[in-house]
Amino acid sequence: MYIIAGLGNPTREYEKTRHNVGFEAVDILADKLGARVTEKKHRAFCGTGRIGPEKVILSKPQTFMNLSGESIRAMADFYKVEPDHIIIICDDINLAEGQLRIRTKGSAGGHNGLKNIINHLGTQEFSRIRVGVGEKPKEMDLADYVLGRFPREQEGVMDQAYQDAAEAAIMMVTEGAEAAMNFFNRKK
């Protein structure tokens, strides 16, 4: 079993913001799997599906970004899923818009949602699919940038990124993280 969680902030106020790319990707993945991510439990909206023979729990934590680890830990404990079977999809300001970067472990890299997950799981050994949202302008506050929406001209690039992130998650489950890294980390 796998947990695939997209990070974001709840409420309509944050829909379609840079920080909510994880929610967008999980919605696309749910569509591909014929799943519904509507059941409220573990401080998240959850749904179940199958990728090949593997059962997957799809999740959109409702704890707000900086407390995502509370929800992820509750799910991991309830379903008895080890960190190496957890895949987190989140935004990354260090990558160009739409670019993906897949890793099986590593630091939070300044991302408060990942930092909280690391703290709650007690390890950095979980997979993450980072979705590029572009570098923030120097004169702009980081919070304002990640809580802002994409300009219209970037929407197509981001729609493709959500598709790619969903496909990357599927590949990670079916073929392994290394195959997904080899394919998606090189894709521009």
Side-chain angles (χ1 to χ4, degrees), residues 87 95 100-105 127-130 164-165 167-169 171-172 177-185:
I87 300 170
L95 297 173
L100 297 189
R101 178 73 32 85
I102 299 168
R103 295 283 183 260
T104 56
K105 61 183 176 182
S127 294
R128 68 260 351 234
I129 301 169
R130 291 175 170 257
D164 288 347
E167 289 297 328
M171 185 180 285
M172 291 171 82
E178 191 169 327
M181 286 189 283
N182 287 338
F183 184 80
F184 287 99
N185 288 355

Side-chain angles (χ1 to χ4, degrees), residues 23-87:
F23 282 8
E24 299 288 337
V26 164
D27 286 341
I28 297 293
L29 180 57
D31 286 345
K32 289 179 179 293
L33 303 181
R36 297 181 64 216
V37 184
T38 55
E39 187 177 356
K40 185 86 160 123
K41 58 184 180 179
H42 313 297
R43 301 186 70 192
F45 284 120
C46 298
T48 59
R50 292 196 97 62
I51 297 177
E54 295 286 347
K55 181 178 181 180
V56 294
I57 308 300
L58 303 178
S59 170
K60 297 192 305 186
Q62 299 296 294
T63 54
F64 287 92
M65 180 66 75
N66 295 353
L67 300 175
S68 298
E70 295 174 7
S71 174
I72 302 301
R73 180 60 191 247
M75 281 185 284
D77 288 349
F78 182 83
Y79 294 108
K80 297 179 179 22
V81 173
E82 293 297 321
D84 66 343
H85 275 68
I86 295 173
I87 300 170

Side-chain angles (χ1 to χ4, degrees), residues 135-146:
E135 186 177 0
K136 90 169 179 64
K138 290 187 185 349
E139 69 281 354
M140 192 171 202
D141 178 70
L142 179 60
D144 290 341
Y145 183 71
V146 296

